[in-house]
Amino acid sequence: MSKSATAIAHPNIAFIKYWGNRDDMMRLPANGSISMNLEALYTRTTVTFSTDIPDTVIKINGKSADSSTKFRIDNWLDDLICYLYQKKRLKDAPGNAEIISENSFPTGAGIASSASAFAALTLAVFGALGIETDEADLSCRARHGSGSACRSIPEGFCEWVTGSNEDSYAYSLAPASHWDLVDLIAVISGKHKKVVSSKGHWTADTSPFQEQRVYTAPQRIAVCRQAILEKDFNALAEVSEKDMLMMHSVMMTQDPPLFYWEGPTIRVIKAVREWRKEGLECFATIDAGPNVHVICTGRSAPAVRERMEKISGIREILSSGPGGKAHLV
Amino acid sequence: MSKSATAIAHPNIAFIKYWGNRDDMMRLPANGSISMNLEALYTRTTVTFSTDIPDTVIKINGKSADSSTKFRIDNWLDDLICYLYQKKRLKDAPGNAEIISENSFPTGAGIASSASAFAALTLAVFGALGIETDEADLSCRARHGSGSACRSIPEGFCEWVTGSNEDSYAYSLAPASHWDLVDLIAVISGKHKKVVSSKGHWTADTSPFQEQRVYTAPQRIAVCRQAILEKDFNALAEVSEKDMLMMHSVMMTQDPPLFYWEGPTIRVIKAVREWRKEGLECFATIDAGPNVHVICTGRSAPAVRERMEKISGIREILSSGPGGKAHLV
C-alpha cells in the first residue's frame, strides 16, 4: 500500500539576511531574518511512501539526485520520521519514500532552490503520512533541512525568530496581498563558482565582522518589520541594502573568503542606488550568489525593468510579486 | 628676492590601509598603516617664495588649482608657516608662494596623487625656506596636508604609526632595494564617480564594522611588518587582501555608503586569488578608487601581466617597483 501527497512552495528573498548558525547541526541561526516569498517561482514535490520501495528515490527536475543531496535528504527524513515516532504521531513504519521534485525556475540560474525544496518536501511528507500539524511545526521541520526553508512555509512576508530549537521557526508578518512589491531578479551571466552556502554558514564566525553583524541584527529586524507593516518603502530599502552589504562584507572577510559578486553585480548595486535618488522606488539585495534581486514597488517596476535591460551582463530578468504559503495540491 | 626649491616624491600603495581618523583636524589616523612607495610614478613640485607674489599661485599639471584644492593648500601652508615661527625656525616673513606641480602619471586614471603631492610640497617648502629638519618632522608636516602623504616621505617600505600628533609619522621599514616587488596597476575604464576620500575618513565611524577593523589592526600591522622584513610573500598576500577587504567592507557599510569598486574591479580580485592558488605570487589591493593594484614578485610579474591583459575592462596596466624617499632635485 502506498500513500502519496504533492505540495508546492515558493522560494523567498531575504531583506534581513540569515548568515551563520549558533548551532550548525540544528540549523539555529545566528540572527533572526525577514523575507518575502516569490509567487512566480515554485518547487512542486510529490512524496510517496511505500513498503515496496527498496531505497529512497529522489528525482529533481527529472534527474536522480547526486549523492550529497541524497545523503542530506536521507538524513533529514530519518530524523523527521524518528521525531514523529517519539511524539507518537506516527505508529507504523511508512516504508521508503519516492520523492519527485520539479522547479519552475531554470536550474543553474543561480536561484537558491533549497528553501522552496525543503518547504515543499516537508509539507508533502506530512501530507503523505496523513499527519496534521500546525504551521510553526512545519516551519521548524523544514528549517532542519535548510535554514531559510522555514521562511517558505508561511504566507507572504515572514520573520524567522532565532529560538533554541522548537521555537526557532518563521511566522507570517503580513499576507502576500499586503504590499504589491515586485522582485526583478537580474540573472547574471558568466561562469559562477558554486560555493555551497551551508559551508559558508559554518565559517561565518571566522570573519572579524560577524559578531558585530549578529549583535546589531535585532535593531535591523525591528526597522524592517515596521517598514513592512507600515509599507514604508524607503525605510525598507535603506535597512535591506545595509543588511545585505553587511552580510557580503562578512562573507568576503571570512576564512576562506567567499566572493559571490560578479562584475555586473556591482554595476546593478550602484545603478539601483542612483535610480532611487532619482525617485524610483527600488533597492538591491543579493543572496549567496551573483544575481541581484531588485525589489521595487508595483508603480516603479516598469521603469526599473526598462533601465535594468540596458545594463550589460544581465542574462535575463525574472519578475515576481509576493508569494503565498506552502500548500498541498 | 625669491627663494625656490624643487622636490620629487612618489605615491604609495598601502598593504595595511589607513581609513578613518581619531582626530580629523590633525589627521591622526584611527589605525597604523604600512605601504610601499611606487618608483615609476612621481609628483615633481617647485615652490618659490617671494614678497613680490600678491597671492598664493598653485598650478597642477599646467592648470590653476580649483578653489577647494587652493583652500586646502593655503590652509595647510598657513599652519606650517605658523608652526615654523612658533618653533623659531623661521624669522622673516617669506612672502607668498608659487607652487608648480606636475604628476608623471595620467590624471583621471584614478591614481591618488594627494600623497605624492603633499610629500613633494612639504619637502619643497622646507627646501625653499632653507630650513633643515629630520625625516620624522617632514613626514608629520606632510601628514597634516594628506594623511597618507606622510608615508611618501621615507624610503621604500614604510610604516605610519598612530601617535598623538608630533609622534604620528611614517618611518622606513626597509629600503626600496630590499624586495623586488612589482605593482601592476590595473587602470579600470569607465566613468568613476569621484568621492573625496577626506570625507570618507570623517564618516568611517558610521560603519558598524569600523571599530572592529581598528581594534584588530595592530595584529595585521605586526603580521605585515614581519612579512616584509622576512620577504614572506604569502603572508603579505593573505594579510593585505584581508585588510583591503575589511576597509572596503567598512566603506560599503558607512552612511552614506561608498562604493569604489567597478565591475572589472571584482573580476580582477577573484582572478588574482585563483592565480595565486595556481602558484603565481600575486595579490590584489585597492585604495579609495576602482583601480586594482596587483602586487607580485619580480619573478611572477611577467606571467601575471600577461593574464591581466586578457581581463576585459582594464584600460591600461601601469607597472612600478618599490620607490625611494622624497628628495630635493
Side-chain angles (χ1 to χ4, degrees):
Chain A
M1 204 192 100
S2 71
K3 299 184 282 188
S4 188
T6 299
I8 280 178
H10 303 283
N12 63 73
I13 178 68
F15 301 143
I16 304 297
K17 304 294 188 185
Y18 157 49
W19 192 248
N21 295 318
R22 53 188 73 189
D23 187 308
D24 287 325
M25 290 298 290
M26 296 218 286
R27 293 183 198 272
L28 285 174
N31 59 281
S33 53
I34 292 180
S35 63
M36 175 179 97
N37 288 340
L38 299 175
E39 186 270 338
L41 313 177
Y42 61 85
T43 299
R44 179 193 178 98
T45 300
T46 299
V47 173
T48 306
F49 283 100
S50 168
T51 48
D52 296 336
I53 300 172
D55 186 23
T56 317
V57 175
I58 305 168
K59 287 204 172 151
I60 300 171
N61 296 323
K63 286 183 192 166
S64 291
D66 61 45
S67 60
S68 70
T69 303
K70 185 170 185 300
F71 180 79
R72 181 171 172 180
I73 293 175
D74 263 341
N75 266 351
W76 170 83
L77 191 56
D78 284 351
D79 286 351
L80 176 56
I81 298 291
C82 186
Y83 163 83
L84 292 170
Y85 275 124
Q86 283 173 347
K87 294 281 179 186
K88 305 200 192 304
R89 290 152 80 184
L90 189 67
K91 279 166 192 162
D92 304 314
N96 283 315
E98 181 194 63
I99 298 165
I100 311 290
S101 190
E102 303 281 342
N103 292 323
S104 74
F105 41 97
T107 49
I111 294 166
S113 55
S114 68
S116 52
F118 272 99
L121 180 58
T122 301
L123 192 55
V125 166
F126 275 84
L129 296 175
I131 299 173
E132 296 275 332
T133 193
D134 61 19
E135 194 175 84
D137 187 34
L138 285 171
S139 178
C140 194
R141 306 282 69 84
R143 187 200 88 219
H144 281 274
S146 170
S148 57
C150 74
R151 295 190 311 237
S152 283
I153 292 287
E155 155 93 354
F157 300 83
C158 302
E159 176 178 350
W160 173 14
V161 294
T162 51
S164 60
N165 184 13
E166 294 302 307
D167 58 346
S168 180
Y169 55 80
Y171 70 99
S172 179
L173 285 170
S177 60
H178 169 68
W179 199 359
D180 69 329
L181 295 184
V182 178
D183 181 4
L184 297 173
I185 308 170
V187 179
I188 303 295
S189 53
K191 282 174 278 176
H192 310 146
K193 272 239 157 167
K194 199 172 177 180
V195 185
V196 177
S197 63
S198 291
K199 288 186 186 169
H201 284 290
W202 300 342
T203 52
D205 281 338
T206 62
S207 164
F209 297 146
Q210 169 71 350
E211 188 180 328
Q212 182 69 3
R213 194 190 71 82
V214 168
Y215 175 69
T216 55
Q219 297 160 29
R220 292 190 300 282
I221 286 275
V223 171
C224 182
R225 189 196 297 124
Q226 194 174 346
I228 289 171
L229 295 178
E230 295 178 353
K231 295 190 254 189
D232 180 344
F233 189 84
N234 274 327
L236 180 66
E238 292 296 322
V239 76
S240 299
E241 279 196 0
K242 179 83 140 197
D243 189 83
M244 175 275 285
L245 292 166
M246 288 176 75
M247 179 179 76
H248 283 272
S249 293
V250 167
M251 289 166 159
M252 288 191 280
T253 55
Q254 288 184 207
D255 192 12
L258 299 176
F259 297 94
Y260 288 105
W261 297 359
E262 302 279 337
T265 312
I266 188 89
R267 278 204 288 277
V268 177
I269 295 173
K270 292 169 86 165
V272 164
R273 287 186 59 84
E274 290 302 313
W275 302 341
R276 191 156 80 250
K277 279 182 199 159
E278 292 168 24
L280 286 177
E281 291 173 317
C282 57
F283 69 86
T285 189
I286 302 162
D287 280 343
N291 297 336
V292 186
H293 294 251
V294 181
I295 311 294
C296 11
T297 57
R299 188 172 49 184
S300 287
V304 171
R305 189 183 180 117
E306 205 179 304
R307 293 185 183 206
M308 285 172 69
E309 282 166 356
K310 289 174 191 149
I311 294 182
S312 67
I314 297 180
R315 199 173 63 195
E316 69 177 311
I317 299 170
L318 305 174
S319 174
S320 178
K325 62 182 169 185
H327 58 281
L328 288 168
V329 289
Chain B
M1 202 193 102
S2 71
K3 299 184 285 186
S4 186
T6 299
I8 281 178
H10 303 284
N12 63 73
I13 178 68
F15 301 143
I16 303 297
K17 304 293 187 185
Y18 157 50
W19 193 247
N21 295 320
R22 54 188 71 188
D23 187 306
D24 287 326
M25 291 296 291
M26 296 218 285
R27 295 185 197 269
L28 285 173
N31 59 281
S33 53
I34 292 179
S35 64
M36 176 178 96
N37 288 339
L38 298 175
E39 187 269 337
L41 313 177
Y42 61 85
T43 299
R44 181 194 177 98
T45 299
T46 300
V47 173
T48 305
F49 283 100
S50 167
T51 48
D52 298 336
I53 301 172
D55 186 24
T56 317
V57 175
I58 305 169
K59 288 207 169 148
I60 300 171
N61 295 324
K63 287 182 190 163
S64 290
D66 60 45
S67 60
S68 70
T69 303
K70 185 169 183 303
F71 181 79
R72 180 171 174 181
I73 292 175
D74 264 341
N75 267 352
W76 170 83
L77 191 55
D78 284 352
D79 287 351
L80 176 56
I81 298 290
C82 186
Y83 162 83
L84 293 170
Y85 275 124
Q86 284 173 344
K87 295 279 179 187
K88 304 196 191 305
R89 290 152 81 184
L90 188 66
K91 280 165 193 162
D92 304 314
N96 283 314
E98 181 194 64
I99 298 165
I100 311 291
S101 191
E102 303 281 342
N103 293 322
S104 72
F105 42 98
T107 49
I111 294 166
S113 55
S114 67
S116 51
F118 273 99
L121 180 58
T122 301
L123 192 56
V125 166
F126 274 83
L129 296 175
I131 299 173
E132 296 274 331
T133 192
D134 61 19
E135 194 176 85
D137 187 35
L138 286 170
S139 177
C140 194
R141 307 281 70 84
R143 187 200 89 219
H144 281 273
S146 171
S148 57
C150 75
R151 295 189 311 236
S152 283
I153 293 286
E155 153 93 354
F157 299 84
C158 302
E159 177 178 350
W160 174 14
V161 294
T162 52
S164 59
N165 184 11
E166 295 301 308
D167 57 346
S168 181
Y169 55 80
Y171 70 98
S172 179
L173 285 170
S177 61
H178 169 69
W179 199 359
D180 69 329
L181 294 184
V182 177
D183 181 4
L184 297 172
I185 308 170
V187 178
I188 304 295
S189 55
K191 284 173 279 179
H192 310 146
K193 272 241 157 166
K194 200 172 176 180
V195 184
V196 177
S197 63
S198 291
K199 288 186 185 167
H201 284 289
W202 300 342
T203 52
D205 281 339
T206 62
S207 164
F209 297 146
Q210 171 70 351
E211 189 180 328
Q212 181 68 5
R213 194 190 69 82
V214 169
Y215 174 69
T216 54
Q219 297 161 28
R220 291 189 300 282
I221 287 274
V223 170
C224 181
R225 188 195 296 124
Q226 194 174 347
I228 289 171
L229 296 178
E230 295 178 353
K231 294 190 256 191
D232 179 343
F233 190 84
N234 273 327
L236 180 66
E238 291 297 322
V239 76
S240 299
E241 279 196 359
K242 178 82 143 200
D243 189 83
M244 175 275 285
L245 292 164
M246 289 177 74
M247 178 178 78
H248 283 271
S249 294
V250 166
M251 290 166 159
M252 290 191 281
T253 55
Q254 286 184 208
D255 191 13
L258 299 176
F259 296 96
Y260 288 105
W261 296 358
E262 303 279 337
T265 312
I266 187 89
R267 279 204 287 277
V268 177
I269 295 173
K270 293 168 84 164
V272 164
R273 287 187 58 84
E274 291 302 313
W275 301 343
R276 191 157 79 251
K277 279 183 199 158
E278 293 168 24
L280 286 178
E281 289 173 319
C282 57
F283 69 86
T285 189
I286 303 161
D287 280 342
N291 297 336
V292 187
H293 294 250
V294 181
I295 311 293
C296 13
T297 56
R299 188 173 49 184
S300 287
V304 170
R305 188 181 180 118
E306 204 179 304
R307 293 184 183 208
M308 284 172 71
E309 282 165 356
K310 289 176 191 148
I311 295 181
S312 67
I314 298 181
R315 199 173 64 196
E316 68 177 310
I317 299 170
L318 305 175
S319 174
S320 179
K325 62 182 168 186
H327 58 280
L328 289 168
V329 289

